[in-house]
Amino acid sequence: MIKVCPSLLNVDESRFLDIFNILHSHPCFSRVHLDVMDGKYVLNTSFCSSTLKYIKELTNKDVDVHLMTYDLIKHINDYCKYNPSSIIIHKDAIENNKLEDLISLIKSKKVRVGLAIKPSEDIEEYKEYLKDIDIVLVMSVEPGKGGQEFIEESIFKIGYLDKLRSQNDYKYSIMVDGGINELIALDCIDEGADYFVVGSYLFKNDLDNTLKKFD
Ligand code: DX5
Ligand code: ZN
């Protein structure tokens, strides 16, 4: 079974009730991925914290909030009101804050911390933080929109992160985000990936039948 985290980016909230009824009938449904975009850090805008509140009414599954935004302190405080399982942030969005301070802020809310690594970013830039975080989100597409092609080089990052994790006994989960289908997911699992954010492949096709490919 492949652990799927549906990305609701291009899904109208009016469909959420039906969608969660289908998701709950599949063992592969592991976590929810909520992509938050501010139209500044990335061009698109999406969702507000009340969406997280609504999702929490529809499912008991963990919800990871992927902040593709600036003004991180405001967004962290805003979303943590509704008990996300984790807040995942981008290092190049921290503006005049220190990354370690933002990590501490999220942890102070008893929320897990994730760091998103963009395709153009090197894992070396993140090494000093790996011991402190719960999720590494390997972006296998450029942040900002769904429906992009999986970037093949992401596979090497997964293998390297898995090696670092076992060599140093780190506890982070490896989550892959962007352009995922079941075949790509299987290749990533071979390299050590744990969770898969899937958006358009699920919601552009028949949701129930597509989920069966991951069960
Ligand atoms: C992109 C988001 C991804 C994306 C995944 O900025 O972080 O979560 O929505 O969607 P697909 O599966 O369509 O690439
Ligand atoms: Zn995402």
Side-chain angles (χ1 to χ4, degrees):
M1 180 198 68
I2 299 168
K3 294 179 183 171
V4 170
C5 313
S7 158
L8 299 166
L9 183 58
N10 295 315
V11 180
D12 192 285
E13 284 192 33
S14 62
R15 290 180 55 206
F16 278 13
L17 196 57
D18 297 341
I19 281 172
F20 276 93
N21 284 337
I22 296 170
L23 288 171
H24 285 133
S25 65
H26 289 272
C28 69
F29 175 34
S30 301
R31 307 171 72 87
V32 180
H33 187 83
L34 186 62
D35 283 312
V36 179
M37 302 181 177
D38 63 358
K40 298 179 204 123
Y41 177 71
V42 291
L43 288 182
N44 286 327
T45 54
S46 70
F47 302 129
C48 51
S49 55
S50 57
T51 309
L52 172 57
K53 183 166 179 281
Y54 179 40
I55 291 171
K56 295 288 284 185
E57 291 164 11
L58 298 176
T59 185
N60 294 327
K61 296 284 185 185
D62 284 344
V63 183
D64 302 309
V65 175
H66 178 192
L67 292 179
M68 288 167 273
T69 68
Y70 288 118
D71 208 356
L72 282 173
I73 292 181
K74 172 188 168 300
H75 284 93
I76 289 166
N77 287 327
D78 209 11
Y79 278 85
C80 282
K81 281 182 227 151
Y82 301 112
N83 304 312
S85 168
S86 78
I87 298 267
I88 303 170
I89 59 177
H90 283 263
K91 188 158 76 72
D92 61 354
I94 63 174
E95 299 170 297
N96 52 3
N97 298 297
K98 284 201 188 115
L99 183 54
E100 50 272 31
D101 293 346
L102 294 174
I103 290 172
S104 307
L105 173 62
I106 296 168
K107 288 189 170 185
S108 72
K109 309 256 184 199
K110 306 276 179 281
V111 173
R112 291 189 185 90
V113 181
L115 286 181
I117 304 183
K118 297 200 306 192
S120 57
E121 291 177 322
D122 199 315
I123 291 171
E124 300 310 310
E125 302 169 41
Y126 289 83
K127 263 185 164 173
E128 63 186 285
Y129 304 103
L130 293 178
K131 66 187 183 308
D132 300 320
I133 60 173
D134 304 288
I135 294 174
V136 176
L137 186 72
V138 178
M139 293 297 302
S140 38
V141 295
E142 282 304 320
K145 63 181 169 49
Q148 303 172 73
E149 284 288 302
F150 178 83
I151 297 171
E152 289 299 331
E153 289 73 19
S154 314
I155 289 266
F156 304 116
K157 280 185 181 172
I158 296 165
Y160 184 39
L161 283 163
D162 188 46
K163 199 171 106 209
L164 285 174
R165 176 170 60 178
S166 37
Q167 278 172 350
N168 300 282
D169 204 18
Y170 291 148
K171 62 180 188 319
Y172 56 78
S173 296
I174 300 172
M175 189 178 280
V176 192
D177 186 0
I180 299 289
N181 61 35
E182 73 280 8
L183 301 176
I184 290 171
L186 289 172
D187 289 344
C188 295
I189 287 172
D190 289 346
E191 294 300 317
D194 304 300
Y195 293 97
F196 298 92
V197 177
V198 192
S200 41
Y201 186 61
L202 289 182
F203 298 109
K204 287 227 163 85
N205 299 299
D206 177 83
L207 178 59
D208 199 31
N209 287 328
T210 310
L211 284 163
K212 284 176 188 154
K213 296 175 184 176
F214 294 89
D215 280 340

